[in-house]
Amino acid sequence: MKKILFVASECLPFVKTGGLADVVGSLPQCLDKENYDCRVIMPLYSFMAQKWKDMLEYKTHFYMDFNWNSYYVGIMECEYEGIKYYFIDNQDYFTCDKPYAGMPYDIGRFAFFSKAALSILPSIDFRPDLIHCHDWQTGLIPVYLNDSFQANEFYRGIKTVMTIHNLKFQGVWDIRTMKDIVGLPDYYFTPDKLEFNRDANMLKGGLVYCDAITTVSDTYAEEIKIPYYGEGLDGLMRARQHDLRGIVNGIDYHMWNPETDKLIYKNYSVENFRKEKVKNKTALQADIGLDVDPKAMLIGIVSRLTDQKGFDLIAYVMDEMCQDAVQFVILGTGEERYENMFRHFAWKYGGRVSAQIYYNEALSHKIYAASDAFLMPSQFEPCGLSQLISLRYGSLPIVRETGGLKDTVQPYNEYESTGTGFSFVNYNAHEMMGTVRYAEKVFYDNKREWNKMVERAMNKDFSWESSALKYQELYDWLIG
Ligand code: ADP
Ligand code: GLC
């Protein structure tokens, strides 16, 4: 039995802000349970829903030296759908109303988390063969492991994998403060290790010291080797290219299934979507204040509202797009400028644009089921899960050809009658609008072709199965 430990800052069903939680929540479930004992460590955030807190059992606690102090490290645990989860409890660091508090607070919180995650292993009697770290919040794990933990035989020989879900966030702060907080010697703060443009970079530490690097699509694995996508780390990515591979994310096919989904208005399948899917549209239109019109093309957006997702393009041409016979529904939270932009358009085009500015799981399901198309014109996209969910629900993705969007959405080819969505290449608002208008044309003038495309989209398989095998191969190769 191989022992794998996941460490991450969010994980479904407990806490989620984005796709990271989906991945950390579903991948351990999809590994072969006969051969891999996979467990997960995450922080015990005070805002976590009570129903999950009620499931936890106290295991033990101890005190850990960190940032010139001795800190309480509590361990709570639970088993959920066959997987063991451990929660690190410390009220100084994890009393909050969302997982990320901003810099510099997050430096201390996640450095503490990373050190604690390693420190609890003897107490939970779990010596992993491999630790799978996710994003910058866990970047210091390979570094700590290489450092003081080597003195203890228990830790020697543990392998590490670092998965990049988003290279934009790296955990960067000035060297002096960082060194003070994280308690690593000077040795680590040089340009070949944690130093980064004269600052210190936690993700970089992880990427230097881990045994293998993965990211969440093939295309993104290539893109981050060039400056445009490399966020200043493209040189390191090139240097470690033989240890870097892309493994595309899947989605949880039980949770996201239009045939059985209890959160949508009307279930449907690839056999009956032509008649049934539209009932989701009219019910949603009525619920969120759009004109009820089964024939109107409804374009959905479910997203964190950040510039990564291409909202500047939408801002630029939204007025023009609203001259067409289309409706938009937006569900998302994030940067205020985008929240207000969508509120503004909803006010201006009442009945045709609906802005739902909050986080809501149930409404997201309804939107995927109700929309005819799903717009995701990202500036960069390591993988993207929303377009995978859209495909599954027969809401055709309109995407920019970058990262995982390029790898998972096959553009419509009207001559060969192939494809599962629409795409454009350049980060350019008019190119995006041209593509949206092309989709409108197919939707209104060639419904038969549209429906064939929906059928192809719904028949695609983006479950975890094949990607989980690739992770297993990687684990086997590293553990030997
Ligand atoms: P990212 O991780 O960059 O945010 P992904 O496409 O990988 O993007 O994953 C986003 C996930 O978060 C999807 O499951 C999407 O449905 C969900 N999501 C984003 N915003 C909201 C929201 N406001 N309400 C509900 N779900 C949301
Ligand atoms: C990040 C990326 C997204 C990816 C997700 C899960 O949040 O922005 O593209 O799908 O992580 O890997």
Side-chain angles (χ1 to χ4, degrees):
M1 190 73 126
K2 292 177 173 125
K3 294 183 180 156
I4 311 291
L5 176 69
F6 274 47
V7 188
S9 56
E10 48 183 283
C11 170
L12 272 182
F14 309 105
V15 171
K16 161 166 167 176
T17 71
L20 171 62
D22 295 85
V23 174
V24 179
S26 31
L27 179 53
Q29 300 282 356
C30 299
L31 297 173
D32 164 18
K33 294 200 171 90
E34 305 267 291
N35 290 306
Y36 300 86
D37 177 1
C38 181
R39 307 191 186 184
V40 182
I41 300 184
M42 64 177 283
L44 179 58
Y45 301 111
S46 60
F47 67 83
M48 193 166 92
Q50 194 59 41
K51 80 166 178 191
W52 303 121
K53 285 187 186 161
D54 289 344
M55 277 176 53
L56 307 186
E57 273 174 41
Y58 168 81
K59 171 102 181 158
T60 181
H61 77 271
F62 55 87
Y63 285 81
M64 179 181 89
D65 288 341
F66 183 76
N67 193 12
W68 307 100
N69 261 307
S70 180
Y71 277 92
Y72 175 87
V73 177
I75 308 170
M76 307 290 282
E77 64 179 353
C78 77
E79 196 168 313
Y80 179 77
E81 300 194 348
I83 302 286
K84 271 221 146 174
Y85 294 86
Y86 301 95
F87 295 79
I88 291 183
D89 181 17
N90 177 285
Q91 294 188 357
D92 290 335
Y93 282 119
F94 302 129
T95 302
C96 48
D97 56 9
K98 54 182 188 314
Y100 312 114
M103 294 299 177
Y105 314 103
D106 286 346
I107 296 284
R109 300 168 71 219
F110 292 111
F112 169 81
F113 172 59
S114 297
K115 189 169 180 185
L118 286 172
S119 304
I120 71 168
L121 298 178
S123 315
I124 62 173
D125 195 20
F126 187 68
R127 193 253 177 219
D129 298 298
L130 183 145
I131 304 181
H132 191 155
C133 308
H134 298 268
D135 272 355
W136 76 267
Q137 294 87 354
T138 54
L140 287 184
I141 289 181
V143 188
Y144 282 132
L145 194 58
N146 178 74
D147 191 58
S148 49
F149 286 87
Q150 287 298 313
N152 183 340
E153 185 167 1
F154 179 91
Y155 293 94
R156 278 184 229 143
I158 296 180
K159 301 287 186 204
T160 50
V161 172
M162 190 83 230
T163 292
I164 303 169
H165 295 267
N166 194 335
L167 195 56
K168 183 148 189 140
F169 304 105
Q170 302 178 357
V172 176
W173 205 249
D174 73 88
I175 292 186
R176 236 188 37 200
T177 314
M178 178 93 78
K179 211 186 305 183
D180 214 41
I181 296 175
V182 306
L184 286 164
D186 288 345
Y187 168 81
Y188 288 100
F189 296 88
T190 57
D192 58 331
K193 305 188 190 78
L194 267 71
E195 186 181 332
F196 176 76
N197 299 334
R198 306 233 169 103
D199 284 324
N201 182 325
M202 288 167 57
L203 178 65
K204 189 179 172 202
L207 295 172
V208 168
Y209 281 98
C210 67
D211 295 293
I213 304 172
T214 72
T215 184
V216 286
S217 68
D218 281 323
T219 295
Y220 195 60
E222 290 306 314
E223 286 173 340
I224 56 180
K225 291 184 220 157
I226 60 173
Y228 182 81
Y229 292 100
E231 305 288 347
L233 291 176
D234 46 295
L236 176 58
M237 292 302 143
R238 289 193 299 276
R240 292 215 66 183
Q241 60 184 318
H242 300 296
D243 306 314
L244 165 67
R245 72 183 73 178
I247 302 179
V248 73
N249 289 331
I251 51 170
D252 182 331
Y253 262 38
H254 301 294
M255 181 156 92
W256 300 107
N257 182 355
E259 272 184 78
T260 54
D261 191 336
K262 292 203 171 57
L263 299 171
I264 66 178
Y265 301 99
K266 182 80 189 136
N267 291 118
Y268 59 96
S269 66
V270 69
E271 276 82 40
N272 67 14
F273 74 88
R274 285 176 176 80
K275 270 183 45 202
E276 302 299 316
K277 182 168 159 67
V278 68
K279 294 177 183 164
N280 287 287
K281 176 156 72 181
T282 47
L284 181 72
Q285 285 169 327
D287 264 6
I288 59 172
L290 289 170
D291 299 337
V292 177
D293 177 357
K295 294 215 157 58
M297 178 173 173
L298 176 62
I299 302 180
I301 295 176
V302 178
S303 182
R304 290 183 296 116
L305 300 180
T306 79
D307 45 8
Q308 168 190 344
K309 303 290 178 180
F311 292 116
D312 290 334
L313 302 187
I314 296 176
Y316 204 71
V317 291
M318 188 71 175
D319 275 315
E320 263 181 273
M321 291 198 296
C322 286
Q323 306 311 312
D324 300 353
V326 287
Q327 298 184 345
F328 288 92
V329 50
I330 296 100
L331 170 64
T333 55
E335 287 173 37
E336 222 174 280
R337 56 184 167 142
Y338 297 128
E339 295 188 342
N340 289 334
M341 166 182 108
F342 283 122
R343 287 191 185 109
H344 166 77
F345 286 124
W347 164 79
K348 191 165 172 188
Y349 301 102
R352 292 201 288 124
V353 177
S354 170
Q356 307 294 321
I357 307 300
Y358 45 81
Y359 185 93
N360 187 303
E361 201 76 35
L363 183 58
S364 77
H365 285 244
K366 292 186 173 69
I367 293 175
Y368 289 116
S371 310
D372 298 295
F374 190 89
L375 182 57
M376 204 166 167
S378 305
Q379 195 171 10
F380 69 93
E381 197 60 73
C383 178
L385 302 175
S386 296
Q387 84 281 11
L388 302 182
I389 304 169
S390 305
L391 289 166
R392 176 101 164 128
Y393 282 71
S395 164
L396 298 183
I398 303 173
V399 302
R400 184 169 163 254
E401 288 175 22
T402 182
L405 298 174
K406 186 172 174 191
D407 294 350
T408 57
V409 178
Q410 190 191 357
Y412 176 50
N413 180 326
E414 62 187 29
Y415 306 104
E416 294 174 6
S417 196
T418 55
T420 55
F422 300 86
S423 64
F424 61 101
V425 177
N426 294 300
Y427 193 68
N428 174 299
H430 284 94
E431 219 176 294
M432 176 191 76
M433 186 169 68
T435 310
V436 172
R437 289 194 161 153
Y438 178 43
E440 288 169 21
K441 195 164 166 312
V442 181
F443 180 84
Y444 285 115
D445 299 347
N446 203 343
K447 204 36 129 331
R448 245 178 77 93
E449 271 295 291
W450 182 276
N451 281 335
K452 275 168 40 189
M453 199 163 5
V454 172
E455 194 172 307
R456 286 194 295 273
M458 292 182 73
N459 276 328
K460 282 267 163 195
D461 182 4
F462 286 105
S463 63
W464 266 106
E465 233 153 275
S466 62
S467 295
L469 287 178
K470 290 188 183 152
Y471 279 107
Q472 288 176 190
E473 273 168 32
L474 175 66
Y475 299 155
D476 292 350
W477 177 68
L478 288 169
I479 295 169

